[in-house]
Amino acid sequence: MALAVEGFAMESTPSIPSGSRETVAEGPVSLVSKSLLEREGQTQCIAIKTSTIHLKYAKEPHDIIKEARLIASACHPNVVSILGHDIDSSSQTMSFWMPYVPCSLLVLLSSNDFSPHPLVSILAADPSNPSPREQRFVLLAKSLMFQVLNGVTFLHENARIAHRDIKPSNILLTLSGRVQLIDFGISWKEGEDLAAKKNDLWVETPEKMYFEVSTGPYRAPELLFGPRIYDAFAIDSWSLGATFAEFFTSVCLYNPLDDEDFDFGGDEQSDSGDESPAKPAEPFIIPKGLRVGDPSNRWARDSLFDSTRGEIGLAWSIFKTRGSPNETTWPSFLSLPDANKLSFIDTQPVDLPSILPNLPSSAQQHEVDTKTHIPPETMSPTPVDLIHRFLVYEPSQRLRPSKALTHSWFTSEPPLLLPADFPTTSADGEASISLGWGGKSLGEWLSEVHPQWRNSKG
């Protein structure tokens, strides 16, 4: 039947599952719970997302109505699918349910086993003869990055959707290792007329776009200076660069009950403008007083940029890493509405490998100038070259996901491994694709680096 709530009308699919639920995530605007769905004599584990559709309680620009509509229009192996939806007119909430995916990239990045380097080693890395641990790490990193790019390329090129909130927690991983992009509540679809968006909670137009999108350290720098018109697809490119960089940042040990011992962001320079050399980044950071193996301690991956001090602090963190914007590195910067409202100390860019200590030793074989914002035409077969091309200030010059799929790193050894249940006809790019390596599938390789893959039940 059709339900109408404050002008919202949508054909309702089979009623929401009535089984018991277990809350798995709770945010400022939505609740995600785990339940079971009985359908056609089979039981399936599902995730149910619920959020208000009452404008008084909704948080602009988050929009579950738009999210369900956009996901339903984007059918791809690397994009989550909707199994059904329901509207509760009495509580003015909407729910939709999806296959439950037990793991995420955020979980994988929190594992100290997901590193090319051992936690303790007295041997120097040999770039010409990578260890089995390093080969496993490169295999997994390449395979997961390629899938993320494959999904985002479909969104951009086929569905004309910019995600606008790409980050590790929005990249789920099935037990087979298949990437699933989720959370389209602040996404943007190009070319939609007002009729297509008439039921959205917050109607967005090309002349008045939201810059309050993306999250923390994954936000593109132009969003920090108040634009209402911008390239939404270039926003995703920057977020991809920040997300992929996190594969290679430090893994930090911390105690959730004592966050003073843990500092996300890795900001080594003070805000006073002191340009003294920072201490080199290390693959693993263990603060004094914390012991490896203590069950109360946790590992977490550092972010490339520091968003803990708000938008101004994030802008300063980006500038300290990628250099102060100028007419050469960011020609369109001064056209941003708030570009002249603040002034920052002039800083020079840092070499990205110096702050990415978990790069594999094989990356040392290729020199890449990561201080420029005009990367050379020829790509270098190393992950830092891929990351660098996304983290370019001028939005029009950032690497597009479709072009990234052809990056030479994906064609280097070890081979690109895709999950056993992945339809290879849906994979773009020029890399040689395999469903197994060393006698193991992608899911089996993942089970070696994090226990959640071994312990999860589909």
Side-chain angles (χ1 to χ4, degrees):
M1 63 179 174
L3 296 175
V5 178
E6 293 189 354
F8 173 80
M10 189 174 188
E11 198 67 25
S12 181
T13 52
S15 59
I16 191 166
S18 58
S20 61
R21 300 190 195 180
E22 174 189 347
T23 299
V24 294
E26 187 171 0
V29 295
S30 63
L31 177 73
V32 179
S33 55
K34 177 182 176 183
S35 187
L36 295 176
L37 176 65
E38 302 284 347
R39 187 169 62 172
E40 298 178 355
Q42 294 184 330
T43 301
Q44 181 179 8
C45 193
I46 60 170
I48 305 172
K49 184 170 185 176
T50 303
S51 184
T52 182
I53 54 174
H54 193 302
L55 286 181
K56 181 179 179 181
Y57 304 108
K59 183 180 179 181
E60 192 174 11
H62 297 268
D63 190 334
I64 193 172
I65 298 174
K66 178 176 70 173
E67 178 174 15
R69 176 169 58 81
L70 294 185
I71 295 177
S73 70
C75 181
H76 188 269
N78 293 130
V79 177
V80 71
S81 58
I82 288 184
L83 301 175
H85 70 270
D86 185 75
I87 300 163
D88 187 333
S89 57
S90 61
S91 63
Q92 296 200 17
T93 60
M94 178 177 180
S95 299
F96 64 82
W97 45 102
M98 312 155 281
Y100 176 70
V101 182
C103 308
S104 72
L105 180 59
L106 184 67
V107 168
L108 178 64
L109 293 176
S110 70
S111 171
N112 68 320
D113 279 330
F114 188 60
S115 166
H117 311 296
L119 184 59
V120 178
S121 177
I122 60 174
L123 300 176
D126 182 2
S128 64
N129 185 27
S131 68
R133 180 186 175 101
E134 177 171 322
Q135 287 185 307
R136 180 184 68 189
F137 172 80
V138 174
L139 177 86
L140 292 175
K142 284 173 56 173
S143 300
L144 298 179
M145 288 185 193
F146 185 87
Q147 286 189 71
V148 172
L149 291 171
N150 199 50
V152 177
T153 294
F154 171 81
L155 292 175
H156 287 194
E157 305 295 329
N158 298 82
R160 301 306 297 164
I161 294 173
H163 189 281
R164 296 200 301 187
D165 200 16
I166 294 173
K167 57 183 178 180
S169 61
N170 282 341
I171 300 170
L172 301 187
L173 305 173
T174 69
L175 295 179
S176 70
R178 182 145 61 98
V179 162
Q180 297 274 270
L181 301 175
I182 64 166
D183 202 348
F184 288 72
I186 53 177
S187 297
W188 162 264
K189 185 175 177 66
E190 185 181 68
E192 285 191 312
D193 57 25
L194 289 177
K197 299 183 281 191
K198 65 179 181 179
N199 293 321
D200 290 358
L201 296 177
W202 314 107
V203 176
E204 192 174 10
T205 66
E207 297 76 29
K208 191 177 181 181
M209 301 173 71
Y210 288 107
F211 59 79
E212 304 90 344
V213 295
S214 197
T215 303
Y218 313 100
R219 297 187 74 195
E222 60 267 29
L223 295 176
L224 308 177
F225 296 92
R228 286 298 184 188
I229 300 174
Y230 57 84
D231 183 347
F233 300 100
I235 296 296
D236 282 354
S237 287
W238 181 277
S239 296
L240 285 168
T243 296
F244 289 169
E246 215 157 294
F247 280 67
F248 310 104
T249 55
S250 299
V251 190
C252 308
L253 188 67
Y254 79 108
N255 191 307
L257 301 178
D258 188 8
D259 285 342
E260 292 181 359
D261 288 329
F262 187 63
D263 179 25
F264 285 102
D267 250 340
E268 296 290 348
Q269 296 180 358
S270 69
D271 290 346
S272 64
D274 180 11
E275 298 298 329
S276 58
K279 188 169 62 175
E282 301 174 356
F284 306 98
I285 297 176
I286 306 175
K288 293 180 179 179
L290 295 185
R291 294 186 302 164
V292 177
D294 187 332
S296 62
N297 295 332
R298 299 288 184 270
W299 290 98
R301 191 74 56 154
D302 208 0
S303 300
L304 184 64
F305 305 114
D306 183 5
S307 63
T308 61
R309 303 179 186 179
E311 292 190 344
I312 296 175
L314 176 58
W316 175 230
S317 176
I318 292 173
F319 294 164
K320 286 197 295 180
T321 303
R322 301 296 290 132
S324 299
N326 55 49
E327 293 181 357
T328 300
T329 60
W330 196 351
S332 65
F333 175 68
L334 292 179
S335 66
L336 295 171
D338 297 340
N340 289 314
K341 291 184 177 180
L342 293 169
S343 60
F344 295 88
I345 298 171
D346 189 50
T347 61
Q348 297 300 311
V350 301
D351 195 29
L352 288 179
S354 69
I355 53 176
L356 300 176
N358 272 304
L359 283 169
S361 62
S362 55
Q364 301 172 14
Q365 297 178 320
H366 305 278
E367 290 189 8
V368 179
D369 179 10
T370 60
K371 295 183 178 181
T372 178
H373 284 263
I374 308 175
E377 188 70 25
T378 302
M379 297 178 177
S380 179
T382 177
V384 74
D385 180 84
L386 174 68
I387 293 166
H388 169 227
R389 293 173 185 273
F390 284 125
L391 299 179
V392 169
Y393 279 151
E394 190 62 35
S396 64
Q397 298 303 309
R398 289 175 197 153
L399 183 65
R400 298 291 164 150
S402 56
K403 181 68 173 176
L405 285 170
T406 67
H407 194 277
S408 55
W409 184 50
F410 292 120
T411 61
S412 62
E413 289 294 324
L416 187 63
L417 187 62
L418 292 182
D421 61 351
F422 193 92
T424 53
T425 54
S426 300
D428 294 318
E430 300 176 355
S432 176
I433 294 171
S434 175
L435 298 180
W437 186 69
K440 299 177 185 177
S441 67
L442 180 58
E444 290 171 325
W445 282 110
L446 281 168
S447 70
E448 294 187 0
V449 298
H450 202 283
Q452 189 164 350
W453 267 263
R454 296 191 293 269
N455 299 335
S456 294
K457 304 292 184 182

